[in-house]
Amino acid sequence: MAPEQEGRWSEPIVMANIAVHLHLLPNGKVLQWGRRDNPRSPDPASLDQHYTRHAWVWDPITRETYPTANEPVGEDGVPVNIFCAGHSFLADGTLLITGGHWVDGHGIDQNCTYDYRTNTFTTRQRTNNGRWYPSLLTMPDGRVFCSSGSFNDSYEIDNVPQIWDPRTNSWIEAINSLNQVGLGDGKVIPLYPRMHLSPDGRVIVVGPLSETWWFDLKDPANPAADIRSETINPPGQSVVGRWSNAYKERRAMFRDYCPSVQYDTGKIMYLGGGLSNDFNTAPTTDVEYLDLNPGAPGQWQSFPSGNMIIPRRQFNATILPDGSVFVNGGSKGAGFNNFNDPALDSELWNPDTRTFTKMAPERYTRCYHGTSLLLPDGRVISAGSGEYMDTINLPDQCHTEAQIFEPPYLFKTGAPRPNIVACPSEIKYATSFILTIAAGNTDIGKISWIRLGSTTHCRNMGQSCMFLPFAQNQDGMTLSVQAPGNANLAPPGHYMLFVVDRRGVPSVAKIMRISETGTPVVQDEPPQNVPSSSMSMSSLVQKISALMKLPTTAQTKESSTSTSTSTPASTASIQPTLFEHAKLLATQQQRPPMVVALSPACPYGLGPCWGGAYDGLTRICDIEAVSPVPNQADALAYIYLNREMTTFPDIDTWREEFSKVVNASYEIRGIEMILEGMLLRNESDQLVLRIQDPGTKVEGEIPLRSFGKESQLKWDVKKRENKEVTDDEKGALNRLVEDLKRIDAPETRGRVTGTLQKDAGCAGGFALDVREFELFQ
């Protein structure tokens, strides 16, 4: 097809590195960095280098590239790697960059800013823990909301949000939803959460979980003040903000590695992602729409013609000046990141018809770590892809080459492009300003206001678009334009202003700044960061903690990969970590947990890729509580059955209930139980356990069997297969038999740990494959 129908891709542009992180700066240039200095290096160890001497600035006009004047360092002056960080532009145009990379899944606690005026990074106060894959969002008062990210050797998710105050260059702590509403109702926020601002100024989190959540910071009764929330643990401590369930659930449920886009005021679309149907199958084409404006339905909607043409994950969606959304890259095949089945054809979404049209194909695969960014001239740069794990990071999949997409509107004939001759460089909220355009084309249809892009991992953080009302003077060349009415609609900072004619052809943008309504409000004394009180643990809870591999608080803090040798009180969390929440749950339950073996499609293991699984497990009817921390080493989750259950859980029912929430992003491999009772021989001389367990109402006898290959639930993350069965595991039943012979009693009380198997040949329909046991004499 012709360019006026499908657009056109440029010839390749060689970038200085693989652009995993891509940002449009207020001077119109593009900041980018990758994972390591040499993306072609065959040395797997280079994937985990601990510095960023690979940040570059690219000029779209001259095509020149030059390095940043310095590299980011931690508070101790040691270089840091800001690969896998989160970022958002501040009101003055500097870029806040939070978190980064130690190893896959294990983030660092660095925090810095990049100033386009000096081309330099500046070290800022570090975060409460390491953050790998956090999301950042600039709020109406100019502060920045930071959520999620994983840290330490167990890849624990940091569920305690923080708010960056650029006035004081410091963090304050926000409420953790688990600490506000409790473990049963709160959420573990997945990595790189999809966050936007609603027209009333609240943060709305729309994915990758299917449920939509509000985060409120400002007190409705006193908008000049932050909401103060008291923590459950430790009781009575004060932090800011409040979480609430928005009761808006997406039909397509859990969808990760895909974008969400705020394409107009209060209007959000969530595109593709996830894995559909059976495990390891393709992503979805589904697109769901949410309108938060007054009078709108206020719920997610789907439309028969509103889905993408091609199923995708690991892709990007970019707002264009005419209000359309450009979709490119990704994998359309099975699995986490299928380079062998790339989505080369791009698509363009029409906001008037809510339909997608296929655009010209891209030359290069843009899968995991691909990025896209709107440029001031109305074109889109597509870059990155590759820099994956050491076992599958093939050189031909790592692209330093970029291409620029020229949308169809650039090929329309009949008149020249609109041309902005004069406009202010800075405006205020709720005012009007004068815009002058050239005489060649004065048939103006709309004026779009698009926030500068800051993109990585399918997420363009803060990307938003709105259309400004205007009146055109008689000469046609002078336009009186109404600025955004308040900072809820457009947070302070820099935006591209495009004049779009009635054909849909945009001008080259002018980058303008809208200034704050004032500096962030000065609150009363910020809450003091008091360490949480220690919890007394019974001997049973200590055993459970050992089983669940829960480290001490000190171990958790030590392994968070701090960039400094000392921890100022201002960065220590008031609220417990998820590990501490898990210990509290064990204390409350006073019974052994049940083990659920899970395989995530995400290659980094269950620890960092835990949020969706946690949500899915909490929705299984038989489960009373889920420990908020999984076992990363063996890909195991710990749950507590409903105490009123009188039968063994049916794994097939669990799989059905679980998959309705998570689709195929996770798979339940099996269940392990710890049961107590009397060990004896039944009438068939079969060794059984007659259940007499205070932790469950399940009764009857369950046959005990040997532990074999099909019994193994422990998972090898790198090999993506069950671990080998050890000799101790294989011989557990034989040892149990020999020990019972030595005791020589008709019945012996004991506790048995093993894999629960459905077995129609057994009287009760279940058997237990013995992995461990303990006898009580």
Side-chain angles (χ1 to χ4, degrees):
M1 290 192 293
E4 57 268 26
Q5 295 173 297
E6 65 171 9
R8 183 175 67 189
W9 287 96
S10 72
E11 289 300 308
I13 302 164
V14 178
M15 307 290 280
N17 203 295
I18 294 175
V20 181
H21 298 256
L22 202 61
H23 320 269
L24 180 64
L25 302 172
N27 59 9
K29 298 178 182 179
V30 175
L31 174 68
Q32 61 110 340
W33 65 82
R35 179 171 187 154
R36 52 182 173 162
D37 281 347
N38 180 11
R40 305 294 183 191
S41 172
D43 180 13
S46 69
L47 289 166
D48 294 322
Q49 68 180 36
H50 298 144
Y51 53 85
T52 312
R53 289 196 293 270
H54 46 277
W56 301 83
V57 177
W58 176 72
D59 189 325
I61 297 175
T62 66
R63 303 287 177 92
E64 293 178 342
T65 300
Y66 54 89
T68 55
N70 64 347
E71 62 178 304
V73 298
E75 288 184 330
D76 57 0
V78 175
V80 292
N81 191 346
I82 53 176
F83 167 67
C84 291
H87 25 71
S88 187
F89 282 106
L90 302 176
D92 65 352
T94 58
L95 182 68
L96 181 68
I97 305 161
T98 303
H101 179 83
W102 188 255
V103 296
D104 286 335
H106 184 160
I108 59 175
D109 61 4
Q110 84 77 35
N111 186 45
C112 67
T113 53
Y114 170 82
D115 191 328
Y116 70 98
R117 292 159 295 197
T118 60
N119 191 29
T120 56
F121 293 97
T122 300
T123 303
R124 302 297 182 187
Q125 184 188 53
R126 69 183 186 276
T127 54
N128 55 3
N129 283 303
R131 293 188 185 268
W132 188 83
Y133 278 36
S135 283
L136 272 61
L137 182 68
T138 300
M139 297 186 294
D141 64 4
R143 292 182 291 177
V144 178
F145 182 63
C146 174
S147 179
S148 194
S150 56
F151 68 101
N152 75 25
D153 295 333
S154 297
Y155 307 142
E156 176 187 353
I157 292 176
D158 188 348
N159 217 51
V160 177
Q162 292 178 278
I163 295 171
W164 176 255
D165 188 338
R167 182 183 60 84
T168 61
N169 284 318
S170 62
W171 294 103
I172 60 173
E173 187 168 326
I175 189 73
N176 171 1
S177 71
L178 297 181
N179 212 0
Q180 176 186 308
V181 296
L183 283 173
D185 299 313
K187 297 295 178 183
V188 175
I189 304 298
L191 302 179
Y192 277 142
R194 279 66 173 154
M195 308 189 304
H196 301 275
L197 278 180
S198 70
D200 60 9
R202 292 183 290 173
V203 175
I204 186 166
V205 184
V206 300
L209 298 180
S210 58
E211 287 184 336
T212 303
W213 281 74
W214 291 113
F215 176 78
D216 296 78
L217 179 61
K218 293 298 184 182
D219 186 345
N222 180 12
D226 289 342
I227 292 172
R228 293 287 179 172
S229 295
E230 286 195 358
T231 61
I232 296 173
N233 181 49
Q237 294 296 316
S238 177
V239 292
V240 301
R242 179 176 58 225
W243 290 95
S244 58
N245 193 328
Y247 297 104
K248 309 173 193 298
E249 185 158 47
R250 286 183 290 100
R251 179 186 60 82
M253 305 305 283
F254 179 79
R255 298 290 176 182
D256 58 354
Y257 290 94
C258 60
S260 60
V261 176
Q262 189 161 345
Y263 62 91
D264 199 349
T265 301
K267 297 180 179 180
I268 299 167
M269 59 195 303
Y270 199 96
L271 302 92
L275 291 171
S276 302
N277 305 317
D278 296 329
F279 183 68
N280 227 28
T281 57
T284 182
T285 61
D286 286 2
V287 179
E288 296 182 72
Y289 303 83
L290 178 64
D291 190 339
L292 299 171
N293 290 295
Q299 296 291 331
W300 288 101
Q301 294 181 292
S302 300
F303 301 96
S305 60
N307 292 334
M308 295 185 297
I309 300 167
I310 301 168
R312 300 173 192 261
R313 61 186 275 128
Q314 312 288 6
F315 68 104
N316 288 278
T318 306
I319 303 168
L320 299 186
D322 63 350
S324 60
V325 176
F326 176 66
V327 172
N328 74 297
S331 163
K332 60 183 178 180
F336 174 76
N337 183 49
N338 193 332
F339 275 105
N340 297 318
D341 198 3
L344 294 176
D345 286 323
S346 48
E347 301 180 49
L348 191 65
W349 177 77
N350 185 319
D352 297 324
T353 61
R354 291 198 189 96
T355 56
F356 287 83
T357 302
K358 192 176 288 188
M359 294 285 109
E362 198 167 356
R363 181 179 303 186
Y364 300 99
T365 57
R366 303 288 182 199
C367 294
Y368 190 34
H369 294 150
T371 48
S372 294
L373 191 69
L374 177 65
L375 299 174
D377 62 7
R379 300 183 299 168
V380 177
I381 182 170
S382 174
S385 192
E387 294 293 71
Y388 194 15
M389 302 177 73
D390 56 359
T391 55
I392 47 179
N393 195 58
L394 303 179
D396 63 345
Q397 297 171 351
C398 298
H399 297 305
T400 55
E401 305 91 348
Q403 281 185 278
I404 292 179
F405 179 71
E406 300 171 292
Y409 54 51
L410 295 181
F411 298 95
K412 290 185 177 180
T413 59
R417 291 180 70 173
N419 181 21
I420 301 174
V421 175
C423 69
S425 60
E426 184 168 333
I427 58 174
K428 303 288 184 183
Y429 292 103
T431 61
S432 60
F433 60 94
I434 298 300
L435 194 69
T436 305
I437 60 175
N441 185 349
T442 58
D443 189 19
I444 305 306
K446 62 180 73 169
I447 295 176
S448 52
W449 180 255
I450 300 178
R451 191 167 176 87
L452 303 187
S454 178
T455 182
T456 189
H457 293 78
C458 311
R459 294 284 297 114
N460 194 328
M461 300 186 196
Q463 177 181 223
S464 65
C465 176
M466 66 181 298
F467 297 94
L468 304 182
F470 69 96
Q472 205 162 359
N473 286 7
Q474 230 173 10
D475 63 6
M477 296 184 293
T478 305
L479 286 72
S480 177
V481 184
Q482 185 65 43
N486 57 64
N488 296 342
L489 306 176
H494 291 79
Y495 293 76
M496 287 182 282
L497 182 140
F498 291 92
V499 173
V500 185
D501 72 15
R502 295 187 189 278
R503 298 171 302 160
V505 178
S507 66
V508 173
K510 295 294 185 182
I511 296 179
M512 301 169 59
R513 179 177 181 265
I514 189 163
S515 58
E516 304 169 58
T517 53
T519 56
V521 177
V522 179
Q523 303 297 325
D524 297 331
E525 285 296 314
Q528 297 301 307
N529 293 282
V530 181
S532 58
S533 57
S534 59
M535 294 178 282
S536 60
M537 305 288 285
S538 68
S539 58
L540 173 60
V541 173
Q542 289 175 354
K543 284 187 176 182
I544 294 171
S545 296
L547 165 73
M548 297 167 65
K549 296 181 172 61
L550 299 179
T552 66
T553 301
Q555 288 171 329
T556 302
K557 299 297 184 186
E558 287 169 4
S559 61
S560 66
T561 312
S562 172
T563 60
S564 179
T565 55
S566 61
T567 304
S570 55
T571 60
S573 292
I574 296 171
Q575 300 168 90
T577 65
L578 291 184
F579 273 117
E580 291 162 332
H581 273 293
K583 287 184 177 181
L584 178 61
L585 178 62
T587 304
Q588 295 167 342
Q589 289 288 330
Q590 291 291 313
R591 56 176 173 154
M594 182 172 164
V595 172
V596 181
L598 298 173
S599 300
C602 165
Y604 303 120
L606 195 56
C609 308
W610 170 237
Y614 178 83
D615 186 41
L617 290 172
T618 62
R619 310 262 199 120
I620 294 175
C621 293
D622 293 340
I623 294 177
E624 177 183 300
V626 181
S627 175
V629 178
N631 180 330
Q632 164 71 7
D634 298 324
L636 305 174
Y638 301 99
I639 63 96
Y640 296 90
L641 286 175
N642 288 328
R643 293 178 186 269
E644 301 304 312
M645 280 189 65
T646 57
T647 61
F648 287 112
D650 186 325
I651 191 170
D652 293 326
T653 301
W654 281 26
R655 283 171 173 153
E656 183 179 350
E657 292 178 359
F658 187 66
S659 66
K660 285 179 180 177
V661 177
V662 303
N663 296 300
S665 292
Y666 306 86
E667 178 187 33
I668 295 181
R669 298 195 312 278
I671 297 171
E672 180 180 273
M673 296 192 75
I674 302 174
L675 295 171
E676 191 172 321
M678 303 305 295
L679 292 153
L680 67 151
R681 295 279 178 177
N682 64 11
E683 293 179 353
S684 303
D685 197 36
Q686 185 179 29
L687 183 62
V688 298
L689 178 73
R690 181 181 297 151
I691 301 169
Q692 298 174 359
D693 194 324
T696 178
K697 290 189 176 181
V698 176
E699 297 179 342
E701 296 179 352
I702 185 168
L704 304 181
R705 306 189 311 193
S706 296
F707 195 91
K709 184 177 181 180
E710 70 284 352
S711 315
Q712 182 62 278
L713 299 183
K714 296 176 182 177
W715 184 252
D716 188 311
V717 174
K718 285 201 171 184
K719 293 182 180 178
R720 298 198 62 76
E721 61 185 30
N722 287 335
K723 291 181 176 179
E724 294 292 328
V725 177
T726 66
D727 290 340
D728 280 349
E729 292 169 333
K730 289 177 185 177
L733 182 65
N734 288 337
R735 292 196 305 277
L736 174 58
V737 170
E738 292 301 316
D739 286 353
L740 292 173
K741 284 180 181 178
R742 282 192 290 273
I743 295 172
D744 193 21
E747 297 181 356
T748 302
R749 188 165 188 83
R751 182 183 294 136
V752 179
T753 300
T755 303
L756 184 69
Q757 303 281 17
K758 292 180 71 172
D759 189 338
C762 298
F766 292 91
L768 198 69
D769 298 349
V770 180
R771 186 174 66 83
E772 292 178 349
F773 65 91
E774 183 179 2
L775 300 179
F776 309 124
Q777 299 183 49

